mmCIF file of all heavy atoms in Angstrom:
data_model
loop_
_atom_site.group_PDB
_atom_site.id
_atom_site.type_symbol
_atom_site.label_atom_id
_atom_site.label_comp_id
_atom_site.label_asym_id
_atom_site.label_seq_id
_atom_site.Cartn_x
_atom_site.Cartn_y
_atom_site.Cartn_z
ATOM 1 N N MET A 1 5.646 8.310 6.747
ATOM 2 C CA MET A 1 4.486 8.362 5.881
ATOM 3 C C MET A 1 4.626 7.298 4.799
ATOM 4 O O MET A 1 5.661 7.159 4.193
ATOM 5 C CB MET A 1 4.365 9.741 5.273
ATOM 6 C CG MET A 1 3.307 9.832 4.233
ATOM 7 S SD MET A 1 3.114 11.475 3.541
ATOM 8 C CE MET A 1 1.608 11.928 4.335
ATOM 9 N N LEU A 2 3.558 6.555 4.553
ATOM 10 C CA LEU A 2 3.544 5.503 3.548
ATOM 11 C C LEU A 2 2.970 6.061 2.248
ATOM 12 O O LEU A 2 1.938 6.734 2.279
ATOM 13 C CB LEU A 2 2.706 4.333 4.036
ATOM 14 C CG LEU A 2 2.666 3.084 3.178
ATOM 15 C CD1 LEU A 2 4.055 2.487 3.029
ATOM 16 C CD2 LEU A 2 1.731 2.051 3.787
ATOM 17 N N SER A 3 3.633 5.796 1.146
ATOM 18 C CA SER A 3 3.140 6.292 -0.133
ATOM 19 C C SER A 3 3.174 5.170 -1.172
ATOM 20 O O SER A 3 3.981 4.241 -1.075
ATOM 21 C CB SER A 3 3.947 7.492 -0.607
ATOM 22 O OG SER A 3 5.274 7.115 -0.843
ATOM 23 N N LEU A 4 2.319 5.297 -2.162
ATOM 24 C CA LEU A 4 2.185 4.329 -3.253
ATOM 25 C C LEU A 4 2.501 5.019 -4.571
ATOM 26 O O LEU A 4 1.928 6.060 -4.880
ATOM 27 C CB LEU A 4 0.766 3.765 -3.293
ATOM 28 C CG LEU A 4 0.377 2.899 -4.473
ATOM 29 C CD1 LEU A 4 1.162 1.589 -4.437
ATOM 30 C CD2 LEU A 4 -1.106 2.620 -4.471
ATOM 31 N N ASP A 5 3.394 4.426 -5.347
ATOM 32 C CA ASP A 5 3.723 4.942 -6.660
ATOM 33 C C ASP A 5 2.853 4.252 -7.704
ATOM 34 O O ASP A 5 3.050 3.078 -8.021
ATOM 35 C CB ASP A 5 5.208 4.686 -6.978
ATOM 36 C CG ASP A 5 5.647 5.248 -8.313
ATOM 37 O OD1 ASP A 5 4.801 5.601 -9.145
ATOM 38 O OD2 ASP A 5 6.879 5.322 -8.528
ATOM 39 N N ASP A 6 1.842 4.976 -8.196
ATOM 40 C CA ASP A 6 0.895 4.418 -9.178
ATOM 41 C C ASP A 6 1.561 4.012 -10.470
ATOM 42 O O ASP A 6 1.071 3.157 -11.203
ATOM 43 C CB ASP A 6 -0.198 5.427 -9.478
ATOM 44 C CG ASP A 6 -1.147 5.644 -8.305
ATOM 45 O OD1 ASP A 6 -1.309 4.711 -7.508
ATOM 46 O OD2 ASP A 6 -1.715 6.731 -8.209
ATOM 47 N N GLU A 7 2.681 4.647 -10.807
ATOM 48 C CA GLU A 7 3.371 4.373 -12.072
ATOM 49 C C GLU A 7 4.006 2.978 -12.094
ATOM 50 O O GLU A 7 4.064 2.350 -13.136
ATOM 51 C CB GLU A 7 4.461 5.423 -12.308
ATOM 52 C CG GLU A 7 3.948 6.826 -12.442
ATOM 53 C CD GLU A 7 3.276 7.071 -13.764
ATOM 54 O OE1 GLU A 7 3.797 6.621 -14.800
ATOM 55 O OE2 GLU A 7 2.213 7.727 -13.780
ATOM 56 N N THR A 8 4.493 2.516 -10.944
ATOM 57 C CA THR A 8 5.199 1.226 -10.908
ATOM 58 C C THR A 8 4.400 0.106 -10.255
ATOM 59 O O THR A 8 4.798 -1.063 -10.340
ATOM 60 C CB THR A 8 6.541 1.381 -10.170
ATOM 61 O OG1 THR A 8 6.291 1.800 -8.819
ATOM 62 C CG2 THR A 8 7.457 2.354 -10.863
ATOM 63 N N CYS A 9 3.272 0.418 -9.655
ATOM 64 C CA CYS A 9 2.441 -0.580 -8.977
ATOM 65 C C CYS A 9 1.931 -1.598 -10.001
ATOM 66 O O CYS A 9 1.435 -1.233 -11.069
ATOM 67 C CB CYS A 9 1.266 0.096 -8.288
ATOM 68 S SG CYS A 9 0.158 -1.032 -7.431
ATOM 69 N N ILE A 10 2.019 -2.900 -9.655
ATOM 70 C CA ILE A 10 1.551 -3.948 -10.533
ATOM 71 C C ILE A 10 0.174 -4.478 -10.083
ATOM 72 O O ILE A 10 -0.302 -5.472 -10.600
ATOM 73 C CB ILE A 10 2.577 -5.100 -10.637
ATOM 74 C CG1 ILE A 10 2.833 -5.728 -9.267
ATOM 75 C CG2 ILE A 10 3.853 -4.598 -11.292
ATOM 76 C CD1 ILE A 10 3.682 -6.990 -9.306
ATOM 77 N N GLU A 11 -0.430 -3.822 -9.111
ATOM 78 C CA GLU A 11 -1.797 -4.122 -8.662
ATOM 79 C C GLU A 11 -1.943 -5.545 -8.113
ATOM 80 O O GLU A 11 -2.992 -6.163 -8.269
ATOM 81 C CB GLU A 11 -2.812 -3.902 -9.792
ATOM 82 C CG GLU A 11 -2.670 -2.628 -10.564
ATOM 83 C CD GLU A 11 -2.875 -1.334 -9.779
ATOM 84 O OE1 GLU A 11 -3.425 -1.363 -8.668
ATOM 85 O OE2 GLU A 11 -2.452 -0.278 -10.272
ATOM 86 N N CYS A 12 -0.918 -6.055 -7.446
ATOM 87 C CA CYS A 12 -0.996 -7.425 -6.921
ATOM 88 C C CYS A 12 -1.862 -7.544 -5.663
ATOM 89 O O CYS A 12 -2.357 -8.614 -5.363
ATOM 90 C CB CYS A 12 0.411 -7.974 -6.655
ATOM 91 S SG CYS A 12 1.255 -7.159 -5.278
ATOM 92 N N GLY A 13 -2.025 -6.442 -4.912
ATOM 93 C CA GLY A 13 -2.875 -6.432 -3.746
ATOM 94 C C GLY A 13 -2.236 -6.886 -2.464
ATOM 95 O O GLY A 13 -2.916 -6.967 -1.422
ATOM 96 N N ILE A 14 -0.949 -7.179 -2.461
ATOM 97 C CA ILE A 14 -0.275 -7.588 -1.227
ATOM 98 C C ILE A 14 -0.427 -6.506 -0.148
ATOM 99 O O ILE A 14 -0.685 -6.801 1.005
ATOM 100 C CB ILE A 14 1.203 -7.937 -1.471
ATOM 101 C CG1 ILE A 14 1.282 -9.238 -2.256
ATOM 102 C CG2 ILE A 14 1.987 -8.042 -0.165
ATOM 103 C CD1 ILE A 14 2.699 -9.613 -2.683
ATOM 104 N N CYS A 15 -0.264 -5.247 -0.555
ATOM 105 C CA CYS A 15 -0.382 -4.150 0.405
ATOM 106 C C CYS A 15 -1.782 -4.106 1.043
ATOM 107 O O CYS A 15 -1.912 -3.887 2.232
ATOM 108 C CB CYS A 15 -0.041 -2.819 -0.233
ATOM 109 S SG CYS A 15 -1.020 -2.436 -1.691
ATOM 110 N N ALA A 16 -2.821 -4.358 0.241
ATOM 111 C CA ALA A 16 -4.183 -4.364 0.761
ATOM 112 C C ALA A 16 -4.417 -5.535 1.691
ATOM 113 O O ALA A 16 -5.181 -5.439 2.652
ATOM 114 C CB ALA A 16 -5.184 -4.380 -0.399
ATOM 115 N N ASP A 17 -3.746 -6.660 1.414
ATOM 116 C CA ASP A 17 -3.833 -7.808 2.322
ATOM 117 C C ASP A 17 -3.162 -7.505 3.660
ATOM 118 O O ASP A 17 -3.664 -7.881 4.722
ATOM 119 C CB ASP A 17 -3.203 -9.048 1.710
ATOM 120 C CG ASP A 17 -3.966 -9.610 0.537
ATOM 121 O OD1 ASP A 17 -5.181 -9.301 0.416
ATOM 122 O OD2 ASP A 17 -3.372 -10.355 -0.257
ATOM 123 N N LEU A 18 -2.015 -6.840 3.611
ATOM 124 C CA LEU A 18 -1.256 -6.543 4.827
ATOM 125 C C LEU A 18 -1.814 -5.348 5.601
ATOM 126 O O LEU A 18 -1.754 -5.323 6.827
ATOM 127 C CB LEU A 18 0.216 -6.276 4.482
ATOM 128 C CG LEU A 18 1.011 -7.460 3.946
ATOM 129 C CD1 LEU A 18 2.377 -7.017 3.477
ATOM 130 C CD2 LEU A 18 1.146 -8.522 5.035
ATOM 131 N N LEU A 19 -2.333 -4.363 4.882
ATOM 132 C CA LEU A 19 -2.829 -3.135 5.511
ATOM 133 C C LEU A 19 -4.227 -2.777 4.982
ATOM 134 O O LEU A 19 -4.414 -1.758 4.309
ATOM 135 C CB LEU A 19 -1.871 -1.973 5.244
ATOM 136 C CG LEU A 19 -0.454 -2.107 5.813
ATOM 137 C CD1 LEU A 19 0.439 -1.003 5.277
ATOM 138 C CD2 LEU A 19 -0.519 -2.048 7.332
ATOM 139 N N PRO A 20 -5.229 -3.618 5.283
ATOM 140 C CA PRO A 20 -6.566 -3.371 4.741
ATOM 141 C C PRO A 20 -7.196 -2.093 5.247
ATOM 142 O O PRO A 20 -8.114 -1.555 4.606
ATOM 143 C CB PRO A 20 -7.352 -4.601 5.178
ATOM 144 C CG PRO A 20 -6.630 -5.115 6.373
ATOM 145 C CD PRO A 20 -5.179 -4.805 6.133
ATOM 146 N N GLN A 21 -6.732 -1.557 6.372
ATOM 147 C CA GLN A 21 -7.267 -0.311 6.874
ATOM 148 C C GLN A 21 -6.717 0.896 6.107
ATOM 149 O O GLN A 21 -7.280 1.981 6.161
ATOM 150 C CB GLN A 21 -6.983 -0.156 8.365
ATOM 151 C CG GLN A 21 -5.533 0.175 8.718
ATOM 152 C CD GLN A 21 -4.571 -1.032 8.704
ATOM 153 O OE1 GLN A 21 -4.927 -2.134 8.281
ATOM 154 N NE2 GLN A 21 -3.368 -0.818 9.175
ATOM 155 N N PHE A 22 -5.649 0.704 5.328
ATOM 156 C CA PHE A 22 -5.001 1.795 4.600
ATOM 157 C C PHE A 22 -5.189 1.673 3.074
ATOM 158 O O PHE A 22 -5.355 2.686 2.399
ATOM 159 C CB PHE A 22 -3.503 1.820 4.946
ATOM 160 C CG PHE A 22 -2.813 3.072 4.490
ATOM 161 C CD1 PHE A 22 -2.975 4.268 5.151
ATOM 162 C CD2 PHE A 22 -1.962 3.056 3.390
ATOM 163 C CE1 PHE A 22 -2.336 5.435 4.732
ATOM 164 C CE2 PHE A 22 -1.314 4.199 2.946
ATOM 165 C CZ PHE A 22 -1.509 5.403 3.639
ATOM 166 N N PHE A 23 -5.172 0.456 2.551
ATOM 167 C CA PHE A 23 -5.302 0.227 1.130
ATOM 168 C C PHE A 23 -6.577 -0.540 0.805
ATOM 169 O O PHE A 23 -7.041 -1.339 1.620
ATOM 170 C CB PHE A 23 -4.121 -0.598 0.564
ATOM 171 C CG PHE A 23 -2.814 0.111 0.615
ATOM 172 C CD1 PHE A 23 -1.850 -0.243 1.540
ATOM 173 C CD2 PHE A 23 -2.524 1.133 -0.283
ATOM 174 C CE1 PHE A 23 -0.620 0.406 1.567
ATOM 175 C CE2 PHE A 23 -1.301 1.800 -0.245
ATOM 176 C CZ PHE A 23 -0.347 1.412 0.680
ATOM 177 N N GLU A 24 -7.117 -0.328 -0.399
ATOM 178 C CA GLU A 24 -8.245 -1.101 -0.877
ATOM 179 C C GLU A 24 -8.027 -1.367 -2.367
ATOM 180 O O GLU A 24 -7.268 -0.656 -3.031
ATOM 181 C CB GLU A 24 -9.558 -0.363 -0.666
ATOM 182 C CG GLU A 24 -9.658 0.959 -1.387
ATOM 183 C CD GLU A 24 -10.929 1.715 -1.044
ATOM 184 O OE1 GLU A 24 -11.851 1.129 -0.474
ATOM 185 O OE2 GLU A 24 -10.998 2.913 -1.394
ATOM 186 N N VAL A 25 -8.667 -2.406 -2.862
ATOM 187 C CA VAL A 25 -8.608 -2.733 -4.289
ATOM 188 C C VAL A 25 -9.987 -2.412 -4.859
ATOM 189 O O VAL A 25 -10.997 -2.954 -4.425
ATOM 190 C CB VAL A 25 -8.233 -4.218 -4.512
ATOM 191 C CG1 VAL A 25 -8.208 -4.510 -6.005
ATOM 192 C CG2 VAL A 25 -6.897 -4.538 -3.877
ATOM 193 N N VAL A 26 -9.998 -1.497 -5.830
ATOM 194 C CA VAL A 26 -11.244 -1.065 -6.461
ATOM 195 C C VAL A 26 -11.083 -1.229 -7.983
ATOM 196 O O VAL A 26 -10.178 -0.645 -8.561
ATOM 197 C CB VAL A 26 -11.562 0.402 -6.108
ATOM 198 C CG1 VAL A 26 -12.823 0.870 -6.838
ATOM 199 C CG2 VAL A 26 -11.694 0.591 -4.605
ATOM 200 N N GLY A 27 -11.924 -2.054 -8.553
ATOM 201 C CA GLY A 27 -11.851 -2.276 -10.002
ATOM 202 C C GLY A 27 -10.508 -2.813 -10.436
ATOM 203 O O GLY A 27 -10.020 -2.490 -11.521
ATOM 204 N N GLY A 28 -9.897 -3.644 -9.583
ATOM 205 C CA GLY A 28 -8.587 -4.221 -9.910
ATOM 206 C C GLY A 28 -7.399 -3.306 -9.691
ATOM 207 O O GLY A 28 -6.275 -3.675 -9.990
ATOM 208 N N ARG A 29 -7.658 -2.131 -9.146
ATOM 209 C CA ARG A 29 -6.582 -1.152 -8.896
ATOM 210 C C ARG A 29 -6.435 -0.921 -7.384
ATOM 211 O O ARG A 29 -7.432 -0.833 -6.673
ATOM 212 C CB ARG A 29 -6.887 0.185 -9.569
ATOM 213 C CG ARG A 29 -7.209 0.070 -11.021
ATOM 214 C CD ARG A 29 -6.245 0.589 -11.996
ATOM 215 N NE ARG A 29 -5.336 1.587 -11.515
ATOM 216 C CZ ARG A 29 -4.205 1.863 -12.107
ATOM 217 N NH1 ARG A 29 -3.879 1.228 -13.207
ATOM 218 N NH2 ARG A 29 -3.400 2.790 -11.654
ATOM 219 N N VAL A 30 -5.195 -0.838 -6.925
ATOM 220 C CA VAL A 30 -4.925 -0.561 -5.511
ATOM 221 C C VAL A 30 -5.028 0.936 -5.279
ATOM 222 O O VAL A 30 -4.468 1.734 -6.041
ATOM 223 C CB VAL A 30 -3.536 -1.089 -5.110
ATOM 224 C CG1 VAL A 30 -3.197 -0.691 -3.685
ATOM 225 C CG2 VAL A 30 -3.461 -2.595 -5.276
ATOM 226 N N ARG A 31 -5.696 1.301 -4.221
ATOM 227 C CA ARG A 31 -5.874 2.714 -3.840
ATOM 228 C C ARG A 31 -5.691 2.883 -2.339
ATOM 229 O O ARG A 31 -6.004 1.978 -1.569
ATOM 230 C CB ARG A 31 -7.286 3.200 -4.192
ATOM 231 C CG ARG A 31 -7.595 3.159 -5.649
ATOM 232 C CD ARG A 31 -6.894 4.311 -6.365
ATOM 233 N NE ARG A 31 -7.062 4.212 -7.776
ATOM 234 C CZ ARG A 31 -6.069 4.042 -8.656
ATOM 235 N NH1 ARG A 31 -4.847 3.934 -8.234
ATOM 236 N NH2 ARG A 31 -6.303 3.989 -9.933
ATOM 237 N N VAL A 32 -5.212 4.045 -1.949
ATOM 238 C CA VAL A 32 -5.175 4.407 -0.545
ATOM 239 C C VAL A 32 -6.596 4.791 -0.161
ATOM 240 O O VAL A 32 -7.271 5.535 -0.880
ATOM 241 C CB VAL A 32 -4.211 5.589 -0.294
ATOM 242 C CG1 VAL A 32 -4.279 6.054 1.151
ATOM 243 C CG2 VAL A 32 -2.786 5.211 -0.660
ATOM 244 N N ARG A 33 -7.082 4.260 0.959
ATOM 245 C CA ARG A 33 -8.447 4.571 1.410
ATOM 246 C C ARG A 33 -8.532 6.049 1.774
ATOM 247 O O ARG A 33 -7.645 6.562 2.466
ATOM 248 C CB ARG A 33 -8.806 3.730 2.622
ATOM 249 C CG ARG A 33 -9.006 2.281 2.326
ATOM 250 C CD ARG A 33 -9.445 1.535 3.599
ATOM 251 N NE ARG A 33 -9.640 0.143 3.325
ATOM 252 C CZ ARG A 33 -10.759 -0.370 2.861
ATOM 253 N NH1 ARG A 33 -11.799 0.375 2.635
ATOM 254 N NH2 ARG A 33 -10.865 -1.670 2.621
ATOM 255 N N LEU A 34 -9.592 6.705 1.349
ATOM 256 C CA LEU A 34 -9.800 8.093 1.709
ATOM 257 C C LEU A 34 -9.953 8.215 3.216
ATOM 258 O O LEU A 34 -10.705 7.461 3.827
ATOM 259 C CB LEU A 34 -11.059 8.638 1.032
ATOM 260 C CG LEU A 34 -10.974 8.827 -0.483
ATOM 261 C CD1 LEU A 34 -12.304 9.312 -1.012
ATOM 262 C CD2 LEU A 34 -9.867 9.802 -0.832
ATOM 263 N N GLY A 35 -9.226 9.157 3.817
ATOM 264 C CA GLY A 35 -9.314 9.379 5.245
ATOM 265 C C GLY A 35 -8.652 8.318 6.101
ATOM 266 O O GLY A 35 -8.847 8.311 7.304
ATOM 267 N N ALA A 36 -7.881 7.438 5.480
ATOM 268 C CA ALA A 36 -7.232 6.357 6.233
ATOM 269 C C ALA A 36 -6.178 6.913 7.183
ATOM 270 O O ALA A 36 -5.383 7.792 6.774
ATOM 271 C CB ALA A 36 -6.584 5.347 5.280
ATOM 272 N N PRO A 37 -6.164 6.447 8.421
ATOM 273 C CA PRO A 37 -5.103 6.861 9.331
ATOM 274 C C PRO A 37 -3.764 6.245 8.885
ATOM 275 O O PRO A 37 -3.741 5.176 8.270
ATOM 276 C CB PRO A 37 -5.531 6.305 10.677
ATOM 277 C CG PRO A 37 -6.383 5.134 10.351
ATOM 278 C CD PRO A 37 -7.061 5.478 9.021
ATOM 279 N N GLU A 38 -2.705 6.932 9.175
ATOM 280 C CA GLU A 38 -1.372 6.451 8.839
ATOM 281 C C GLU A 38 -1.140 5.111 9.581
ATOM 282 O O GLU A 38 -1.397 5.022 10.780
ATOM 283 C CB GLU A 38 -0.331 7.498 9.247
ATOM 284 C CG GLU A 38 1.028 7.312 8.636
ATOM 285 C CD GLU A 38 1.044 7.465 7.113
ATOM 286 O OE1 GLU A 38 0.254 8.229 6.549
ATOM 287 O OE2 GLU A 38 1.864 6.775 6.490
ATOM 288 N N PRO A 39 -0.669 4.071 8.890
ATOM 289 C CA PRO A 39 -0.462 2.788 9.556
ATOM 290 C C PRO A 39 0.745 2.849 10.501
ATOM 291 O O PRO A 39 1.588 3.733 10.430
ATOM 292 C CB PRO A 39 -0.180 1.815 8.392
ATOM 293 C CG PRO A 39 0.277 2.654 7.285
ATOM 294 C CD PRO A 39 -0.360 4.007 7.457
ATOM 295 N N ASP A 40 0.787 1.848 11.381
ATOM 296 C CA ASP A 40 1.893 1.694 12.296
ATOM 297 C C ASP A 40 3.185 1.637 11.490
ATOM 298 O O ASP A 40 3.239 0.978 10.452
ATOM 299 C CB ASP A 40 1.683 0.371 13.069
ATOM 300 C CG ASP A 40 2.883 -0.005 13.910
ATOM 301 O OD1 ASP A 40 3.099 0.634 14.948
ATOM 302 O OD2 ASP A 40 3.607 -0.940 13.495
ATOM 303 N N PRO A 41 4.244 2.344 11.920
ATOM 304 C CA PRO A 41 5.498 2.381 11.164
ATOM 305 C C PRO A 41 6.079 0.994 10.863
ATOM 306 O O PRO A 41 6.608 0.775 9.774
ATOM 307 C CB PRO A 41 6.436 3.184 12.038
ATOM 308 C CG PRO A 41 5.544 4.068 12.860
ATOM 309 C CD PRO A 41 4.308 3.226 13.105
ATOM 310 N N GLU A 42 5.990 0.079 11.810
ATOM 311 C CA GLU A 42 6.533 -1.272 11.578
ATOM 312 C C GLU A 42 5.716 -2.004 10.508
ATOM 313 O O GLU A 42 6.270 -2.680 9.631
ATOM 314 C CB GLU A 42 6.571 -2.081 12.864
ATOM 315 C CG GLU A 42 7.654 -1.595 13.821
ATOM 316 C CD GLU A 42 7.687 -2.431 15.087
ATOM 317 O OE1 GLU A 42 7.326 -3.626 15.069
ATOM 318 O OE2 GLU A 42 8.106 -1.875 16.114
ATOM 319 N N ALA A 43 4.405 -1.871 10.552
ATOM 320 C CA ALA A 43 3.549 -2.502 9.556
ATOM 321 C C ALA A 43 3.773 -1.875 8.174
ATOM 322 O O ALA A 43 3.794 -2.580 7.165
ATOM 323 C CB ALA A 43 2.074 -2.376 9.972
ATOM 324 N N ALA A 44 3.971 -0.569 8.148
ATOM 325 C CA ALA A 44 4.233 0.119 6.884
ATOM 326 C C ALA A 44 5.552 -0.350 6.290
ATOM 327 O O ALA A 44 5.669 -0.605 5.082
ATOM 328 C CB ALA A 44 4.264 1.628 7.095
ATOM 329 N N ALA A 45 6.571 -0.496 7.120
ATOM 330 C CA ALA A 45 7.878 -0.968 6.656
ATOM 331 C C ALA A 45 7.776 -2.396 6.127
ATOM 332 O O ALA A 45 8.389 -2.720 5.108
ATOM 333 C CB ALA A 45 8.908 -0.861 7.773
ATOM 334 N N GLU A 46 6.998 -3.231 6.801
ATOM 335 C CA GLU A 46 6.820 -4.631 6.332
ATOM 336 C C GLU A 46 6.136 -4.636 4.965
ATOM 337 O O GLU A 46 6.556 -5.370 4.066
ATOM 338 C CB GLU A 46 5.979 -5.411 7.327
ATOM 339 C CG GLU A 46 5.695 -6.829 6.879
ATOM 340 C CD GLU A 46 4.769 -7.595 7.790
ATOM 341 O OE1 GLU A 46 4.334 -7.057 8.820
ATOM 342 O OE2 GLU A 46 4.485 -8.756 7.439
ATOM 343 N N ALA A 47 5.093 -3.839 4.807
ATOM 344 C CA ALA A 47 4.403 -3.793 3.517
ATOM 345 C C ALA A 47 5.340 -3.311 2.411
ATOM 346 O O ALA A 47 5.327 -3.842 1.291
ATOM 347 C CB ALA A 47 3.174 -2.896 3.630
ATOM 348 N N ALA A 48 6.140 -2.302 2.714
ATOM 349 C CA ALA A 48 7.095 -1.767 1.718
ATOM 350 C C ALA A 48 8.111 -2.847 1.330
ATOM 351 O O ALA A 48 8.444 -3.004 0.153
ATOM 352 C CB ALA A 48 7.783 -0.530 2.262
ATOM 353 N N ARG A 49 8.593 -3.610 2.295
ATOM 354 C CA ARG A 49 9.545 -4.687 2.025
ATOM 355 C C ARG A 49 8.928 -5.792 1.185
ATOM 356 O O ARG A 49 9.569 -6.373 0.322
ATOM 357 C CB ARG A 49 10.060 -5.308 3.316
ATOM 358 C CG ARG A 49 11.179 -4.565 4.001
ATOM 359 C CD ARG A 49 11.826 -5.401 5.099
ATOM 360 N NE ARG A 49 10.855 -5.939 6.059
ATOM 361 C CZ ARG A 49 10.436 -5.305 7.156
ATOM 362 N NH1 ARG A 49 10.895 -4.115 7.452
ATOM 363 N NH2 ARG A 49 9.561 -5.851 7.966
ATOM 364 N N ASP A 50 7.631 -6.083 1.426
ATOM 365 C CA ASP A 50 6.965 -7.192 0.744
ATOM 366 C C ASP A 50 6.437 -6.793 -0.661
ATOM 367 O O ASP A 50 6.029 -7.694 -1.423
ATOM 368 C CB ASP A 50 5.815 -7.713 1.591
ATOM 369 C CG ASP A 50 6.290 -8.464 2.815
ATOM 370 O OD1 ASP A 50 7.513 -8.725 2.918
ATOM 371 O OD2 ASP A 50 5.459 -8.783 3.674
ATOM 372 N N CYS A 51 6.432 -5.538 -0.984
ATOM 373 C CA CYS A 51 5.896 -5.096 -2.282
ATOM 374 C C CYS A 51 6.833 -5.579 -3.388
ATOM 375 O O CYS A 51 7.982 -5.162 -3.463
ATOM 376 C CB CYS A 51 5.783 -3.575 -2.297
ATOM 377 S SG CYS A 51 5.205 -2.942 -3.886
ATOM 378 N N PRO A 52 6.347 -6.443 -4.300
ATOM 379 C CA PRO A 52 7.232 -6.999 -5.326
ATOM 380 C C PRO A 52 7.712 -5.992 -6.358
ATOM 381 O O PRO A 52 8.751 -6.191 -6.990
ATOM 382 C CB PRO A 52 6.381 -8.089 -5.985
ATOM 383 C CG PRO A 52 4.983 -7.732 -5.696
ATOM 384 C CD PRO A 52 4.996 -6.997 -4.378
ATOM 385 N N SER A 53 6.960 -4.880 -6.527
ATOM 386 C CA SER A 53 7.373 -3.894 -7.523
ATOM 387 C C SER A 53 8.129 -2.731 -6.910
ATOM 388 O O SER A 53 8.594 -1.838 -7.637
ATOM 389 C CB SER A 53 6.159 -3.372 -8.289
ATOM 390 O OG SER A 53 5.302 -2.696 -7.394
ATOM 391 N N GLY A 54 8.251 -2.728 -5.579
ATOM 392 C CA GLY A 54 8.949 -1.632 -4.905
ATOM 393 C C GLY A 54 8.181 -0.314 -4.992
ATOM 394 O O GLY A 54 8.765 0.764 -4.911
ATOM 395 N N SER A 55 6.875 -0.398 -5.108
ATOM 396 C CA SER A 55 6.038 0.793 -5.289
ATOM 397 C C SER A 55 5.653 1.470 -3.993
ATOM 398 O O SER A 55 5.083 2.561 -4.011
ATOM 399 C CB SER A 55 4.766 0.430 -6.043
ATOM 400 O OG SER A 55 5.088 -0.072 -7.329
ATOM 401 N N LEU A 56 5.914 0.830 -2.861
ATOM 402 C CA LEU A 56 5.597 1.424 -1.571
ATOM 403 C C LEU A 56 6.842 2.012 -0.946
ATOM 404 O O LEU A 56 7.918 1.401 -0.976
ATOM 405 C CB LEU A 56 5.016 0.376 -0.609
ATOM 406 C CG LEU A 56 3.668 -0.221 -0.996
ATOM 407 C CD1 LEU A 56 3.273 -1.244 0.043
ATOM 408 C CD2 LEU A 56 2.618 0.850 -1.119
ATOM 409 N N ARG A 57 6.678 3.180 -0.359
ATOM 410 C CA ARG A 57 7.764 3.828 0.376
ATOM 411 C C ARG A 57 7.280 4.123 1.791
ATOM 412 O O ARG A 57 6.204 4.719 1.973
ATOM 413 C CB ARG A 57 8.165 5.159 -0.290
ATOM 414 C CG ARG A 57 8.652 5.007 -1.715
ATOM 415 C CD ARG A 57 10.102 4.572 -1.722
ATOM 416 N NE ARG A 57 10.606 4.548 -3.082
ATOM 417 C CZ ARG A 57 10.756 3.438 -3.786
ATOM 418 N NH1 ARG A 57 10.452 2.271 -3.281
ATOM 419 N NH2 ARG A 57 11.236 3.486 -5.017
ATOM 420 N N ALA A 58 8.044 3.677 2.771
ATOM 421 C CA ALA A 58 7.676 3.907 4.174
ATOM 422 C C ALA A 58 8.598 4.931 4.765
ATOM 423 O O ALA A 58 9.705 5.101 4.373
ATOM 424 C CB ALA A 58 7.754 2.600 4.950
#
């Protein structure tokens, strides 16, 4: 399961670029899309690795 820590997220949008079906940027803030299916485990792990603030957990 992929999760986003709102406390440490710097709102850079890399996760939304990598997983647009799971994340969206609304008003400059990154959010998990409502009703979004869980992303592929490999794609989730890549997004977590690429997150500069370490706010994603796969």
Side-chain angles (χ1 to χ4, degrees):
M1 172 178 253
L2 186 61
S3 63
L4 172 67
D5 182 346
D6 290 331
E7 297 286 318
T8 60
C9 179
I10 61 171
E11 314 297 344
C12 69
I14 290 174
C15 56
D17 290 341
L18 293 172
L19 296 171
Q21 73 281 9
F22 192 75
F23 293 107
E24 62 184 346
V25 179
V26 177
R29 307 250 338 160
V30 175
R31 297 285 174 243
V32 175
R33 290 182 180 275
L34 290 178
E38 196 64 31
D40 172 74
E42 288 181 29
E46 177 185 358
R49 278 192 308 271
D50 289 351
C51 178
S53 64
S55 298
L56 295 178
R57 299 279 184 259

